[in-house]
């Protein structure tokens, strides 16, 4: 039962070696339009992108990536993923909190968090058709 072990969630920076695990938790995201497979390695290499993994034991259950921008004054979330068996259990919220705390401690020039949302709703589909 995964809900009983969520208290054992740990965090660490992602590395190139995490690619396969990230692709497993990303399976089915955005159908065949998922951008993360193409960008994962460049995110890891970019000093202005933070990528954190959420783990339960050795199992990768979540990922969150953010970009430092506006000359270091702000950050924005670029990607978030959760393993299918763990979705809806607050993993992303805990990853977001960890990431924000890490950024505050390690990137003291950051003062703002920017937010962008996207949805596969009817409105999002209509916008895609106009593009």
């Amino acid at each position: 039962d995964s809900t009983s072990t969520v208290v054992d969630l740990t965090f660490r920076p992602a590395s190139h070696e995490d690619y396969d695990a990230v692709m497993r938790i990303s399976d089915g995201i955005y159908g065949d339009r998922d951008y993360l497979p193409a960008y994962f390695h460049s995110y890891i290499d970019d000093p202005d992108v933070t990528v954190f993994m959420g783990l339960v034991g050795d199992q990768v259950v979540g990922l969150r990536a953010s970009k430092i921008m506006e000359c270091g004054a702000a950050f924005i979330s670029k990607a978030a993923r959760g393993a299918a068996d763990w979705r809806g259990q607050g993993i992303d919220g805990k990853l977001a909190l960890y990431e924000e705390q890490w950024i505050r401690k390690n990137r003291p020039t950051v003062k703002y968090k920017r937010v962008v949302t996207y949805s596969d709703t009817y409105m999002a589909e209509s916008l895609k058709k106009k593009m």
Side-chain angles (χ1 to χ4, degrees), residues 24 46 51 53 84-85 91 106 112:
R24 280 192 296 277
D46 187 334
V51 184
M53 312 292 289
D85 292 346
I91 301 294
N106 295 283
Y112 308 100

Side-chain angles (χ1 to χ4, degrees), residues 6-113:
V6 77
V7 295
D8 298 328
L9 187 66
T10 59
F11 308 99
R12 67 168 173 78
S15 69
H16 290 287
E17 291 75 27
D18 293 315
Y19 180 83
D20 290 337
V22 170
M23 293 308 104
R24 280 192 296 277
I25 67 169
S26 298
D27 188 42
I29 302 290
Y30 303 125
D32 62 353
R33 300 178 311 222
D34 187 9
Y35 58 89
L36 193 55
Y39 289 97
F40 179 79
H41 292 294
S42 65
Y43 286 176
I44 298 298
D45 291 336
D46 187 334
D48 285 329
V49 175
T50 61
V51 184
F52 291 105
M53 312 292 289
L55 298 100
V56 174
D58 291 335
Q59 180 187 7
V60 174
V61 297
L63 167 138
R64 189 163 256 274
S66 289
K67 171 87 173 166
I68 306 297
M69 49 193 275
E70 298 177 24
C71 299
F75 78 98
I76 188 167
S77 181
K78 295 184 71 62
R81 297 290 187 275
D85 292 346
W86 292 85
R87 291 179 190 150
Q89 297 183 45
I91 301 294
D92 186 56
K94 290 178 173 80
L95 266 166
L97 181 61
Y98 177 82
E99 178 184 60
E100 289 173 18
Q101 291 170 342
W102 187 94
I103 289 171
R104 281 190 190 116
K105 180 179 178 185
N106 295 283
R107 301 296 293 259
T109 61
V110 173
K111 303 294 182 211
Y112 308 100
K113 176 182 179 180

